[in-house]
Structures are given as structure tokens and as C-alpha cells.
């Protein structure tokens, strides 16, 4: 797992070398984040991106489908983050479905970009509020709502809220001093009680219940 005390290698793929250089300079100046950034050009090159932890690219610049980008750039645990010049929720949805670990617009402040890079490097998922609608499938029904007689235990509630906020099972386990297997059990029990299936529905339910800050959504 990465932290602000470890080397975090970031590849920047962008058609604009000035923008790539600018991001690289900001990251280099930020003493809380040790990062190495490289401009790889507008066309993703899997070989050139071999040593990086996180790959930052603009999905709107490529005619290559997000699924192909993930296939070519995302193996070996590398996280791909979309830094989009387009505000298309549909594009963001395709990126998330393909396996992008993050999606955010270029208009976000640098601090938010840094949080997104760190979150995804640590195994989480970062979805900016501008693309929050992308976590719901087109035409999907509203998130399942618990019946009045459904009661979550304190641990089940804590685990589901933590999952919705982007924490890994390992991180939750450390907070509660419990094994990952036990945390998975609490997650499964809570999800079953609420009729939720998978992380996406947990996040959708969390939003509907006000568990997640709608101003800036980070999910894992």
C-alpha cells in the first residue's frame, strides 16, 4: 500500500505536453507526495507505462474505448484514472464499467487531483461529484430501501458506511481490530438485510441515506 511517505510513480498520458509538464511540476513541488511523472504522448503505450503505479489520462482524447485502455494499460495492479476534459456522464460510466479506478474533471483543484491519485494508488476508487450519476446505470431503479423492520447491527452499519466511503476491508479490519474475513461477513450480512448486491448498490444506498458527502464522492 502506498502512503505519502513512499515513492508513487505516476504516468501522464495527454495530447498536451504543456499540461502534462504542469501537472508534473505541481506534483514535484508538493512535498507531501513523492511522485515521478512522465509525458507519454496522446497514444497510450503499454510498454512505456510498465513501471508506474497510477496512469493519468484524458479518456475524451482517445478514440480507443475505455475497456481497451484498461486491457492495455491496467495489468499488474496499475490504476488508471480519467482526468476528463469532457463532462459526459456517459463517458464516465463507460470508464467506471471498464475498470478505471478514478474519474474526475480537469476543472477540479489540484488538491482534489492529489487525493484521487493517492486514493486509487491505495486500492480505492475516486469518483468526483461531477460524475456521481455515473455510478447508476441508465434507467436503473432507485437504490433498494430497507424495510422498516430491517435492523443493521452496529458493526454491519459501520462496515457498510466504511465501504461506501472507499475504505478497503483490510483498512476497516485494522480500525475494528478484526480479520478481513470477519469484516467480509459483516458486509455480506448487512448487504443481505438491505437487499444490496455489490459495491455499486452499497454506494447508491449510502447516497440515498446521506452516508456519503455528495459534495465530493470517494468510493472504494
Amino acid at each position: 500500500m502506498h502512503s505519502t511517505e513512499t515513492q508513487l510513480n505516476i504516468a501522464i498520458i495527454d495530447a498536451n505536453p504543456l499540461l502534462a509538464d504542469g501537472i508534473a511540476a505541481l506534483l514535484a513541488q508538493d512535498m507531501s507526495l513523492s511522485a515521478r511523472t512522465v509525458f507519454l504522448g496522446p497514444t497510450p503505450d503499454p510498454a512505456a507505462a510498465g513501471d508506474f503505479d497510477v496512469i493519468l489520462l484524458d479518456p475524451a482524447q482517445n478514440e480507443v474505448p475505455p475497456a481497451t485502455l484498461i486491457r492495455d494499460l491496467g495489468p499488474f495492479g496499475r490504476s488508471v484514472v480519467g482526468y476528463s476534459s469532457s463532462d459526459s456522464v456517459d463517458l464516465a460510466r463507460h470508464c467506471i464499467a471498464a475498470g478505471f479506478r478514478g474519474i474526475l474533471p480537469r476543472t477540479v483543484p489540484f488538491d482534489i487531483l492529489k487525493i484521487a491519485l493517492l486514493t486509487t494508488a491505495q486500492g480505492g476508487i475516486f469518483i468526483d461529484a461531477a460524475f456521481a450519476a455515473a455510478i447508476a446505470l441508465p434507467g436503473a431503479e432507485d437504490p433498494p430501501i430497507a424495510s422498516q423492520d430491517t435492523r443493521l447491527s452496529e458493526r454491519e452499519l459501520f462496515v457498510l458506511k466504511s465501504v461506501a466511503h472507499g475504505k478497503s476491508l483490510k483498512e476497516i479490519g485494522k480500525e475494528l481490530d478484526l480479520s478481513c474475513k470477519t469484516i467480509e461477513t459483516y458486509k455480506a450480512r448487512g448487504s443481505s438485510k438491505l437487499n444490496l448486491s455489490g459495491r455499486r448498490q452499497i454506494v447508491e444506498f449510502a447516497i440515498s441515506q446521506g452516508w456519503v458527502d455528495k459534495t465530493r464522492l470517494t468510493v472504494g
Side-chain angles (χ1 to χ4, degrees):
M1 180 175 293
H2 299 281
S3 71
T4 55
E5 297 179 351
T6 61
Q7 182 72 29
L8 179 61
N9 296 323
I10 303 168
I12 302 173
I13 300 175
D14 199 276
N16 185 347
L18 293 179
L19 176 64
D21 289 343
I23 296 174
L26 286 172
L27 292 173
Q29 291 172 7
D30 193 316
M31 299 305 294
S32 68
L33 176 62
S34 180
R36 176 168 60 94
T37 61
V38 174
F39 169 67
L40 296 179
T43 303
D45 181 352
D51 294 331
F52 295 97
D53 304 302
V54 181
I55 298 174
L56 184 69
L57 60 81
D58 184 352
Q61 288 181 346
N62 291 277
E63 295 183 0
V64 180
T68 301
L69 291 171
I70 289 295
R71 183 195 66 195
D72 292 343
L73 296 173
F76 311 114
R78 290 192 298 245
S79 298
V80 179
V81 176
Y83 191 48
S84 184
S85 57
S86 168
D87 60 359
S88 169
V89 172
D90 189 52
L91 176 61
R93 184 177 291 118
H94 283 299
C95 290
I96 295 168
F100 275 54
R101 301 298 296 179
I103 183 73
L104 64 162
R106 289 192 175 189
T107 54
V108 298
F110 173 71
D111 284 347
I112 300 301
L113 173 60
K114 186 179 71 171
I115 291 172
L117 294 173
L118 289 171
T119 298
T120 56
Q122 294 170 354
I125 297 176
F126 186 98
I127 303 174
D128 187 78
F131 296 122
I135 64 174
L137 294 175
E141 298 179 354
D142 291 337
I145 302 299
S147 61
Q148 292 183 353
D149 60 349
T150 298
R151 293 291 183 270
L152 295 177
S153 70
E154 183 178 348
R155 287 284 173 85
E156 290 165 351
L157 179 61
F158 182 88
V159 168
L160 290 183
K161 284 186 175 182
S162 298
V163 168
H165 281 85
K167 294 181 180 180
S168 68
L169 298 184
K170 184 177 180 180
E171 290 172 326
I172 301 170
K174 285 184 177 180
E175 290 185 23
L176 297 177
D177 195 24
L178 297 171
S179 69
C180 287
K181 185 176 181 180
T182 300
I183 298 301
E184 178 62 40
T185 298
Y186 283 126
K187 175 186 172 185
R189 288 177 180 173
S191 296
S192 178
K193 288 181 179 180
L194 298 176
N195 193 29
L196 303 176
S197 176
R199 186 180 297 271
R200 175 176 292 177
Q201 286 196 358
I202 291 175
V203 174
E204 291 174 348
F205 181 81
I207 293 173
S208 74
Q209 299 300 300
W211 295 353
V212 177
D213 184 356
K214 295 180 181 180
T215 302
R216 196 67 61 184
L217 175 64
T218 306
V219 301

